[in-house]
């Protein structure tokens, strides 16, 4: 990996975009198109102010009818995730409301059965561990130095920019395995899991835990300590899945009549007042 391969703070991962736009085929329903676009936005493949592909382009990418795409975009507008502008430079653009995206991610978590969440975490653990092992065998010191520098620079970024940078670091570490199939599977699972992992950014301690785990993983990879890399990946992912399971339970137990957005904002305020202001997991 060279410097040019590392995205800037405000860029989005083209690889996440490619994963998001894998053809839907016969399952081409508006709800699936909407879910794919939500994942792309939630994971940072598209960021605030970015223009989405046109309706015709999205229909071609997903392998569905234009009317299906139009219905999905209408739902996203209603949820406050995108806005549509008319004219020569018009189109559908990602809105600036981080709260709306967080609410969408939280809804996805609530709707996912706990056993499905655990299963997704297990799959990610297996794939990420295998990628980590082969990165130990195949990555060069120069490639790992670049990843380490990106992590250092990302430490104090705002939460949303930090999440985009960390997601790209995780994908780069997977690609250093030099296994096309492992990297492809990692990318597919990452596209599904990242919107949920981003919920941890409400909790400063969790962000720090994720950041520190990645730093330790890079250091272990540098000395080709496969056992340490596998243990680091296992502990970090299981910790994240445990946090998500506990957070899901808290969201489900919120007071009757309290909106999800209000619950999320209250949680963020509590973690910050507890001495864990915004930084990295």
């Amino acid at each position: 990996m060279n410097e040019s391969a590392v995205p800037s703070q405000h860029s989005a991962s083209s690889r996440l975009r490619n994963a998001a736009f894998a053809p839907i085929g016969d399952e081409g329903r508006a709800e699936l198109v909407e879910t794919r676009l939500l994942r792309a936005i939630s994971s940072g493949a598209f960021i605030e102010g970015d223009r989405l592909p046109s309706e015709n382009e999205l229909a071609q990418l997903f392998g569905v009818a234009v009317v299906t795409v139009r219905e999905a975009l209408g739902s996203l507008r209603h949820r406050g995730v995108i806005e549509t502008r008319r004219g020569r430079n018009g189109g559908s653009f990602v809105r600036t409301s981080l709260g709306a995206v967080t609410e969408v991610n939280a809804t996805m978590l609530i709707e996912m059965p706990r056993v499905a969440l655990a299963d997704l975490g297990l799959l990610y653990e297996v794939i990420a561990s295998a990628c980590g092992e082969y990165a130990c065998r195949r990555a060069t010191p120069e490639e790992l130095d670049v990843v380490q520098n990106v992590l250092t620079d990302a430490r104090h970024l705002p939460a949303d920019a930090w999440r985009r940078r960390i997601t790209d670091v995780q994908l780069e570490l997977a690609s250093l395995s030099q296994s096309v199939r492992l990297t492809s599977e990692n990318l597919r699972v990452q596209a599904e899991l990242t919107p949920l992992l981003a919920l941890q950014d409400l909790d400063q301690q969790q962000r720090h835990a994720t950041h520190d785990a990645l730093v330790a993983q890079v250091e272990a990879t540098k000395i080709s300590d496969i056992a340490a890399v596998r243990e680091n990946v296992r502990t970090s992912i299981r910790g994240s899945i445990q946090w998500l399971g506990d957070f899901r339970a808290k969201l489900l137990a919120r007071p009757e009549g309290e909106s999800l957005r209000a619950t999320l904002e209250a949680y963020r305020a509590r973690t910050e007042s507890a001495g864990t202001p915004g930084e990295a997991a």
Side-chain angles (χ1 to χ4, degrees), residues 76-109:
L76 291 176
R77 276 194 299 274
H78 178 73
R79 298 173 78 167
V81 177
I82 65 171
E83 61 182 354
T84 299
R85 304 173 195 166
R86 305 298 178 186
R88 180 188 300 179
N89 298 318
S92 296
F93 295 82
V94 178
R95 292 192 62 188
T96 59
S97 175
L98 180 61
V101 173
T102 302
E103 185 176 4
V104 166
N105 294 345
T107 301
M108 291 168 59
L109 177 63

Side-chain angles (χ1 to χ4, degrees), residues 11 17 31 40 43 52 73 97 148 173 189 206 220 232 238 257:
S11 69
R17 293 187 180 189
E31 293 84 355
S43 64
L52 297 177
L73 292 176
S97 175
Q148 193 167 49
L173 285 172
V189 177
Q206 282 298 113
N232 184 280
R238 291 187 184 183

Side-chain angles (χ1 to χ4, degrees), residues 66-67 72 132 232:
V66 172
V67 67
N232 184 280

Side-chain angles (χ1 to χ4, degrees), residues 25-237:
D26 293 337
E27 297 178 288
R29 303 192 307 270
E31 293 84 355
L32 285 176
V33 173
E34 182 182 355
T35 297
R36 289 281 190 88
L37 290 172
L38 281 171
R39 286 178 182 171
I41 294 168
S42 299
S43 64
F46 288 91
I47 63 175
E48 166 186 319
D50 276 353
R51 177 180 176 176
L52 297 177
S54 69
E55 290 180 354
N56 287 332
E57 289 170 327
L58 287 172
Q60 186 174 11
L61 287 165
F62 286 129
V64 300
V66 172
V67 67
T68 301
V69 170
R70 192 168 297 147
E71 183 181 344
L73 292 176
S75 179
L76 291 176
R77 276 194 299 274
H78 178 73
R79 298 173 78 167
V81 177
I82 65 171
E83 61 182 354
T84 299
R85 304 173 195 166
R86 305 298 178 186
R88 180 188 300 179
N89 298 318
S92 296
F93 295 82
V94 178
R95 292 192 62 188
T96 59
S97 175
L98 180 61
V101 173
T102 302
E103 185 176 4
V104 166
N105 294 345
T107 301
M108 291 168 59
L109 177 63
I110 289 172
E111 293 175 349
M112 176 177 283
R114 186 153 188 155
V115 65
L117 175 63
D119 199 41
L120 181 60
L122 176 60
L123 178 61
Y124 185 44
E125 178 187 328
V126 170
I127 295 170
S129 295
C131 287
E133 174 177 339
Y134 281 90
C136 282
R137 300 177 188 275
R138 297 170 175 173
T140 67
E142 293 76 18
E143 289 170 330
L144 291 166
D145 282 342
V146 172
V147 175
Q148 193 167 49
N149 290 336
V150 171
L151 276 171
T152 300
D153 293 342
R155 179 81 183 185
H156 300 294
L157 289 176
D160 55 341
W162 177 87
R163 174 56 63 183
R164 291 193 297 272
R165 186 71 63 86
I166 282 327
T167 298
D168 276 306
V169 165
Q170 291 167 329
L171 292 172
E172 288 296 341
L173 285 172
S175 71
L176 290 179
S177 69
Q178 298 181 29
S179 167
V180 174
R181 293 197 177 193
L182 277 176
T183 303
S184 177
E185 280 301 298
N186 183 282
L187 177 58
R188 184 184 65 79
V189 177
Q190 187 96 356
E192 183 175 357
L193 189 56
T194 294
L196 302 179
L197 294 176
L199 289 167
Q200 295 177 106
D201 300 347
L202 295 167
D203 186 329
Q204 183 57 33
Q205 287 183 323
Q206 282 298 113
R207 291 185 63 216
H208 276 303
T210 293
H211 195 103
D212 293 343
L214 282 170
V215 170
Q217 182 179 342
V218 173
E219 292 174 347
T221 305
K222 277 189 164 186
I223 59 174
S224 301
D225 190 338
I226 294 173
V229 166
R230 282 188 166 275
E231 177 62 21
N232 184 280
V233 170
R234 182 190 71 82
T235 301
S236 180
I237 292 175

